[in-house]
Amino acid sequence: SLEQSISHQTRKYDYDLVVIGGGSGGLACSKEAAQLGQKVAVLDYVEASVRGTTWGLGGTCVNVGCIPKKLMHQAALLGTAVKDAKKYGWKIPEPVSHDWATMSQAVQNHVKSLNWGHRVQLQDRKVKYLNMKGSLVDEHTIRGMNAKGKEMTVTARNVVIATGGRPKYPTHVPGALEFGISMMKWPHVGLECAGFLTGIGLDTTVMVRSIALRGFDQQMSRLVTDYMEAYGTRFSWDAVPKKVEKLPSGLLQVTWTDTQSKQEHQDAFNTVLWAVGRAPETKTLNLKQVGVELNEDTGKVIVAADERTSMSNIFAIGDIAQGRPELTPTAIKAGKLLARRLAGHSSQLMNYDNVPTTVFTPLEYGCVGLSEEEAERRCGKENVEVYHAFYKPLEFTVAERDAGQCYIKVVCEGHGDQRVLGLHFTGPNAGEVTQGFALGLQCGFTYAQLRDTVGIHPTCAEELTKINITKRSGLDATVTGC
Amino acid sequence: MAQYEEVEVHGYEEFCKAVSERKGKDIFAYFSGDKDEQGRSWCPDCVKAEPVVRGEMEHLPEGSVFIYCQVGDRPYWKDPNNEFKKTLKLTGVPTLLHYGTPQTLVEERCFKADLVRMMFTED
């Protein structure tokens, strides 16, 4: 009603904006809003994991996601580099071994410096930080509860929900909760972890129910797992875990069923790591009671293109929001743009199309745009032209490393200018390679423009500018040396 | 009133000795340019920050240690290879840090009482 709307505008709230969740999205949104003159508070609280672990401000990415993942991936890459180094003339005394505690401490120290950095930044930007578990009383009232059970409430004109997700445990598998530890992000982080664990010298097995990297281009996914198998990671395909038991030796015995042969298998491990997906953190937010609608299947918050929920003053960003990529950069950007809109500075919406990403497995996979199967689904196979090439990074030659899975694929419209729909790259530094091409996709570049670009030599990325063999031709796509 | 130990040291060796003699303790350290006979430091930011830091010391945790360290004269500090820069990785004075953690406040950040208090009171 008009009265309600006037009262909403003139009513005094404790804060212009309260953000529930101090992760990638929540922090970016709150800092931006404060910078634009809004009075902002952010609530962040980490419920201890089943194992009792907890962490500081910054959310999943900083504490238990992207950052530690990439650092440990780097640790593993360095192990490979040490092996390669000998071929390049370095005299390295054997045996070279890896110390988990050293790496773990170094990673934790960096994470803690990020926690501190965020604390200082919030204070600098005059964002009120509350280390409390937030929930909604009504659309303008937020309740916070601290670790000691003390409660308080604050009111806000606008609310942003950015509580992210937590890992799922396969609770139907006896022993899973009791004996296993869990993954924070999915679906690719399970593979990434298996990759770096293998890389630092640990005997690692990946148990896969059906396909790896669901949602990603499946040809590229196979190249990634083929490389991992050649590199030493064991794979149990079509495996469904049945139970986990602790043996007298202290080892964990895992029983699983092969869904193809229907046979049961058992093996013993020191650690069982579950990477079976994440569930949105909505249970304790009290969303339904306040009128915020959730998706029936996923449990995530339903949002419109402007991140608005079913309640006009409540918004959701990041992993908690239905249909959004579970990525840090999209949460950050969406948070900043939302803050600008709420402060009345802009009307720009977040563009979720053509978001580039990289899987940091031992052979990295970078991609932007559509997978081959998605392009064919949307346009029809006959209307899609796929250019591809198997290439060998120069660095692999002296190191005598197999480059069989180093591959590039550019998926284009089959007609006219052949606009690029998707770009896929497996190889070293895939993230660095893909980032620039994401800009090209944003600008709607065509195959001709790609071929017109001069390559930088000698690099792996230049192979993208030289790509010319189509899948359709059936010709050998292996690049020969320059 | 918080009970903490205040230690005054001069130079890198004295600093390290003070730390090694207090193993297991919660140590906060404030690094400042040397003071002259009138008690004024050659470092103007250090002069500005000191009363702010001292003003928050009542929030120091029980049983903690506060080390006030004069690093040396200006030419010593300007040398990029001095031990504070090389080993402790200090980048400027004043620096207030929570020893053994990544928590540091450098230069202008030491002027902010709320940041100083945050360092003294948070994990």
Side-chain angles (χ1 to χ4, degrees):
Chain A
S1 77
L2 184 62
E3 279 167 3
Q4 276 175 333
S5 138
I6 291 173
S7 127
H8 169 83
Q9 293 304 317
T10 56
R11 191 183 137 183
K12 248 202 151 323
Y13 297 100
D14 296 328
Y15 293 96
D16 294 311
L17 176 66
V18 164
V19 178
I20 309 179
S24 304
L27 290 178
C29 185
S30 56
K31 287 178 198 172
E32 183 78 5
Q35 243 184 342
L36 297 172
Q38 303 256 298
K39 193 172 175 210
V40 187
V42 66
L43 280 79
D44 187 64
Y45 188 83
V46 180
E47 198 80 66
S49 74
V50 168
R51 276 275 174 288
T53 43
T54 182
W55 46 88
L57 180 64
T60 294
C61 171
V62 161
N63 291 288
V64 287
C66 329
I67 302 294
K69 177 265 299 280
K70 188 89 190 291
L71 289 171
M72 290 191 277
H73 170 62
Q74 177 64 5
L77 288 179
L78 288 169
T80 308
V82 166
K83 292 196 187 91
D84 289 351
K86 294 174 207 163
K87 301 256 168 57
Y88 278 89
W90 286 98
K91 303 231 178 293
I92 298 176
E94 306 250 344
V96 174
S97 63
H98 181 266
D99 179 58
W100 176 270
T102 305
M103 176 186 74
S104 160
Q105 174 133 54
V107 171
Q108 302 273 44
N109 281 346
H110 180 64
V111 168
K112 290 198 171 111
S113 75
L114 295 177
N115 297 141
W116 174 251
H118 279 306
R119 288 292 286 110
V120 170
Q121 270 207 318
L122 286 185
Q123 200 87 358
D124 260 356
R125 309 246 181 129
K126 312 239 180 306
V127 173
K128 177 83 182 165
Y129 164 64
L130 297 161
N131 187 204
M132 301 183 120
K133 196 158 175 72
S135 61
L136 293 171
V137 178
D138 63 45
E139 67 265 35
H140 290 289
T141 312
I142 300 93
R143 175 184 293 122
M145 187 161 80
N146 73 8
K148 297 189 183 109
K150 188 167 157 234
E151 274 187 17
M152 50 82 91
T153 56
V154 291
T155 58
R157 176 169 297 109
N158 291 309
V159 179
V160 173
I161 300 165
T163 49
R166 289 298 289 262
K168 285 191 217 170
Y169 271 84
T171 46
H172 60 281
V173 176
L177 211 72
E178 213 183 323
F179 302 124
I181 62 177
S182 68
M183 287 306 327
M184 289 312 295
K185 266 178 131 63
W186 71 287
H188 52 282
V189 183
L191 274 187
E192 289 168 330
C193 283
F196 68 66
L197 289 169
T198 305
I200 61 175
L202 300 171
D203 184 351
T204 309
T205 302
V206 180
M207 212 163 276
V208 185
R209 188 175 46 127
S210 56
I211 59 171
L213 298 183
R214 187 177 297 275
F216 286 84
D217 185 291
Q218 282 303 293
Q219 178 195 17
M220 305 307 292
S221 160
R222 266 189 307 278
L223 290 168
V224 163
T225 54
D226 283 350
Y227 182 92
M228 287 176 69
E229 281 189 281
Y231 185 63
T233 304
R234 297 182 216 262
F235 279 81
S236 280
W237 295 100
D238 307 306
V240 173
K242 282 199 68 187
K243 58 179 171 183
V244 179
E245 295 158 298
K246 195 152 195 175
L247 297 173
S249 61
L251 289 179
L252 301 173
Q253 181 167 81
V254 180
T255 307
W256 72 92
T257 311
D258 181 322
T259 56
Q260 297 296 316
S261 69
K262 308 287 188 266
Q263 294 236 348
E264 214 178 73
H265 297 274
Q266 268 183 351
D267 205 347
F269 303 90
N270 298 86
T271 306
V272 173
L273 181 64
W274 299 106
V276 296
R278 293 175 88 218
E281 265 294 86
T282 54
K283 290 187 298 296
T284 54
L285 284 170
N286 217 31
L287 294 176
K288 281 215 175 115
Q289 290 83 336
V290 168
V292 174
E293 280 164 27
L294 306 178
N295 177 290
E296 297 258 325
D297 295 316
T298 63
K300 292 189 181 185
V301 179
I302 297 173
V303 290
D306 60 351
E307 333 300 349
R308 200 183 300 260
T309 67
S310 49
M311 296 300 289
S312 64
N313 73 310
I314 303 179
F315 302 80
I317 56 172
D319 291 5
I320 198 81
Q322 175 61 30
R324 302 303 189 212
E326 289 188 2
L327 296 169
T328 286
T330 48
I332 290 176
K333 205 174 186 76
K336 286 190 177 154
L337 291 175
L338 175 61
R340 288 190 205 144
R341 295 195 300 273
L342 291 178
H345 277 243
S346 148
S347 54
Q348 189 188 352
L349 296 179
M350 174 65 191
N351 178 6
Y352 288 100
D353 288 333
N354 297 328
V355 171
T357 190
T358 294
V359 183
F360 293 103
T361 33
L363 183 72
E364 295 177 7
Y365 165 38
C367 60
V368 58
L370 304 179
S371 64
E372 184 176 343
E373 46 266 49
E374 184 61 23
E376 288 181 353
R377 200 184 62 84
R378 291 193 194 187
C379 311
K381 197 177 172 118
E382 60 289 356
N383 296 321
V384 170
E385 193 76 88
V386 180
Y387 294 90
H388 69 153
F390 283 95
Y391 71 97
K392 186 164 190 165
L394 180 62
E395 294 81 356
F396 280 35
T397 54
V398 168
E400 292 174 11
R401 280 173 66 188
D402 179 31
Q405 290 89 24
C406 292
Y407 178 77
I408 306 167
K409 184 161 75 171
V410 181
V411 180
C412 308
E413 280 177 347
H415 58 272
D417 290 332
Q418 297 199 314
R419 192 170 63 97
V420 176
L421 300 169
L423 188 143
H424 304 263
F425 173 93
T426 47
N429 308 304
E432 309 296 350
V433 169
T434 308
Q435 181 70 88
F437 288 99
L439 173 58
L441 214 85
Q442 190 99 306
C443 298
F445 76 125
T446 64
Y447 172 71
Q449 285 171 321
L450 180 60
R451 287 303 313 278
D452 275 346
T453 307
V454 179
I456 300 171
H457 186 70
T459 63
C460 299
E462 67 172 312
E463 298 301 335
L464 277 152
T465 65
K466 292 147 66 185
I467 206 159
N468 61 92
I469 305 284
T470 61
K471 275 198 177 180
R472 185 166 276 124
S473 70
L475 295 169
D476 178 10
T478 308
V479 170
T480 50
C482 66
Chain B
M1 215 55 190
Q3 306 223 343
Y4 57 85
E5 185 200 354
E6 183 167 350
V7 184
E8 297 222 1
V9 298
H10 193 166
Y12 186 73
E13 270 182 45
E14 275 187 31
F15 174 77
C16 293
K17 186 160 175 287
V19 167
S20 65
E21 284 169 356
R22 289 164 180 82
K23 276 200 163 55
K25 294 227 165 184
D26 203 9
I27 298 173
F28 296 89
Y30 180 72
F31 298 90
S32 167
D34 279 9
K35 289 176 164 173
D36 59 21
E37 306 83 54
Q38 280 82 49
R40 260 190 102 79
S41 172
W42 54 260
C43 156
D45 284 352
C46 302
V47 172
K48 188 169 173 188
E50 190 168 327
V52 175
V53 174
R54 289 208 172 275
E56 298 301 322
M57 279 168 72
E58 62 184 19
H59 298 288
L60 281 167
E62 189 94 12
S64 63
V65 177
F66 181 86
I67 301 179
Y68 183 94
C69 177
Q70 293 187 66
V71 297
D73 57 25
R74 188 183 236 127
Y76 168 79
W77 182 252
K78 289 299 176 197
D79 173 14
N81 292 319
N82 74 52
E83 291 112 327
F84 288 103
K85 288 185 178 172
K86 263 179 61 185
T87 317
L88 269 183
K89 307 274 189 275
L90 295 196
T91 56
V93 278
T95 288
L96 177 66
L97 58 80
H98 189 171
Y99 193 79
T101 79
Q103 293 174 4
T104 67
L105 292 171
V106 182
E107 291 160 349
E108 318 82 57
R109 289 234 163 96
C110 297
F111 304 161
K112 300 197 176 174
D114 48 8
L115 289 180
V116 175
R117 187 178 317 175
M118 187 170 83
M119 178 185 287
F120 290 164
T121 56
E122 289 205 8
D123 280 323

